[in-house]
């Protein structure tokens, strides 16, 4: 069998990256829609409802059954194994169509579905803990020091940038496109370097390789579109001429 050329390999990799970005974009769209529906329909439990033992509005099961976490599967007694299997079966019955993962709250064995069941509400203690983390986080000036600048090519072929902490070695799979005003999958991402100079001034980067390629792609597409338009115009001209040429023949033939 013939081996792929480097160009073919690159084409396949590009096609795969685009497919994955489109899939991430679709999943993100569904997640957003689901969160919107939960908000509209008041599916989420309030903290008070959760505390009072109101069952999950997604599946009707208790949020917390108080049975404690499952021990590791290999440590289950025979009885626990049967309970576990029964619970798995119940989950499968309730979520036949949901190709989704499951979650449970700590100290509880009942499983909930990522697709049907909104996550449990944040309690006051957790909210306090999170606010503490935000309060103690570094100042905006300090944060600038650790930020990197990334360039992204999105599924719509728009090129955009993103600033994020240097610890992150990749960017999230879906970001908002400022041009389209829609969340788009990221097809390519590239770290350009520090987002700010030592003086805290936003760093600038010249046209990078990816931006150049994206611009080239856009201009090639535009050229193709114009050629197609011309071809369409030419073919309708040809059709028109053909019709005119056929007219006398039809007249002669039918009469
Ligand atoms: Zn549920
Ligand atoms: Zn489900
Ligand atoms: Zn766009």
């Amino acid at each position: 069998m013939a081996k792929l050329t480097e160009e073919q390999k690159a084409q396949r990799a590009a096609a795969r990256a685009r497919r994955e970005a489109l899939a991430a974009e679709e999943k993100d769209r569904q997640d957003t829609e689901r969160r919107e529906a939960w908000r509209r329909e008041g599916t989420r439990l309030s903290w008070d409802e959760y505390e009072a033992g109101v069952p999950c509005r997604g599946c009707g099961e208790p949020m917390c059954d108080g049975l404690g976490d499952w021990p590791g599967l290999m440590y289950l007694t025979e009885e626990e194994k049967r309970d576990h299997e029964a619970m798995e079966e119940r989950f499968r019955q309730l979520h036949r169509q949901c190709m989704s993962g499951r979650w449970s709250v700590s100290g509880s064995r009942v499983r909930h579905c990522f697709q049907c069941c909104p996550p449990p509400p944040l309690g006051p203690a957790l909210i306090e803990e999170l606010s503490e983390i935000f309060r103690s986080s570094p100042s905006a000036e300090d944060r600038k020091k650790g930020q990197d600048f990334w360039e992204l090519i999105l599924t719509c072929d728009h090129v955009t940038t993103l600033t994020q902490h240097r610890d992150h070695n990749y960017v999230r799979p879906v970001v908002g496109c400022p041009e389209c005003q829609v969340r788009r999958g990221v097809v390519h991402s590239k770290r350009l370097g520090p987002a700010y100079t030592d003086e805290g001034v936003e760093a600038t980067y010249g046209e990078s390789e990816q931006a150049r390629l994206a611009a080239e792609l856009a201009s090639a597409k535009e050229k193709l579109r114009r050629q197609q338009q011309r071809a369409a115009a030419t073919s309708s001209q040809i059709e028109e001429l053909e019709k005119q040429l056929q007219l006398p023949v039809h007249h002669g033939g039918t009469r």
Side-chain angles (χ1 to χ4, degrees):
M1 219 163 84
K3 274 193 175 169
L4 293 180
T5 64
E6 286 308 311
E7 194 186 345
Q8 284 170 323
K9 277 187 206 163
Q11 274 172 357
R12 289 194 181 193
R16 190 171 51 240
R18 173 163 287 272
R19 256 197 324 274
E20 286 170 2
L22 285 168
E25 186 178 305
E26 175 58 19
K27 185 181 177 302
D28 181 79
R29 199 186 55 71
Q30 288 172 0
D31 288 348
T32 307
E33 244 175 42
R34 188 159 46 239
R35 280 197 300 271
E36 277 297 301
W38 285 342
R39 195 184 51 74
R40 251 192 341 266
E41 292 154 20
T43 316
R44 291 173 193 273
L45 295 182
S46 68
W47 179 251
D48 287 343
E49 289 172 327
Y50 178 73
E51 284 279 90
V54 175
C56 169
R57 291 203 187 92
C59 68
E61 296 280 81
M63 279 300 243
C64 180
D65 57 20
L67 293 175
D69 299 317
W70 284 110
L73 279 187
M74 57 194 290
Y75 304 110
L76 295 182
T77 64
E78 284 307 311
E79 196 189 341
E80 283 172 331
K81 269 184 200 158
R82 280 194 297 277
D83 287 351
H84 188 265
E85 189 36 50
M87 199 167 270
E88 285 293 307
E89 181 51 29
R90 184 162 171 72
F91 186 88
R92 283 192 291 269
Q93 295 289 334
L94 283 171
H95 305 281
R96 281 178 189 284
Q97 314 293 334
C98 310
M99 308 284 285
S100 174
R102 53 197 69 188
W103 57 266
S104 52
V105 302
S106 154
S108 174
R109 296 189 175 184
V110 61
R111 302 280 203 248
H112 294 272
C113 170
F114 277 109
Q115 200 160 320
C116 309
C117 313
L122 300 180
L126 190 53
I127 291 176
E128 181 47 41
E129 211 174 294
L130 289 173
S131 335
E132 189 47 48
I133 292 173
F134 285 122
R135 273 197 294 276
S136 61
S137 62
S139 69
E141 277 309 308
D142 278 342
R143 256 203 318 273
K144 280 182 177 178
K145 290 177 190 152
Q147 301 282 309
D148 272 343
F149 211 41
W150 288 68
E151 184 181 74
L152 320 175
I153 298 183
L154 310 180
T155 53
C156 49
D157 294 331
H158 285 134
V159 181
T160 187
T161 55
L162 178 92
T163 304
Q164 65 174 7
H165 196 270
R166 196 152 302 145
D167 287 349
H168 300 296
N169 287 322
Y170 47 88
V171 298
R172 46 186 177 272
V174 180
V175 300
C177 173
E179 296 275 339
C180 305
Q181 306 270 316
V182 171
R183 287 173 61 74
R184 299 286 195 192
V186 176
V187 182
H188 283 292
S189 61
K190 185 180 173 191
R191 194 197 300 253
L192 298 184
Y196 298 92
T197 63
D198 288 343
E199 290 76 41
V201 181
E202 198 168 318
T204 48
Y205 290 90
E207 199 182 34
S208 73
E209 183 63 4
Q210 290 203 355
R212 195 184 57 70
L213 287 175
E216 222 169 72
L217 175 68
S219 103
K221 277 187 172 173
E222 178 56 23
K223 206 161 144 190
L224 177 66
R225 196 183 59 78
R226 279 201 303 268
Q227 277 173 354
Q228 283 170 337
Q229 261 177 0
R230 267 205 299 274
T234 310
S235 80
S236 63
Q237 260 175 343
I238 293 173
E239 263 173 48
E240 199 51 43
L241 283 170
E242 275 174 347
K243 269 186 220 149
Q244 286 174 14
L245 285 170
Q246 279 164 7
L247 278 176
V249 181
H250 280 294
H251 283 290
T254 50
R255 286 183 192 169

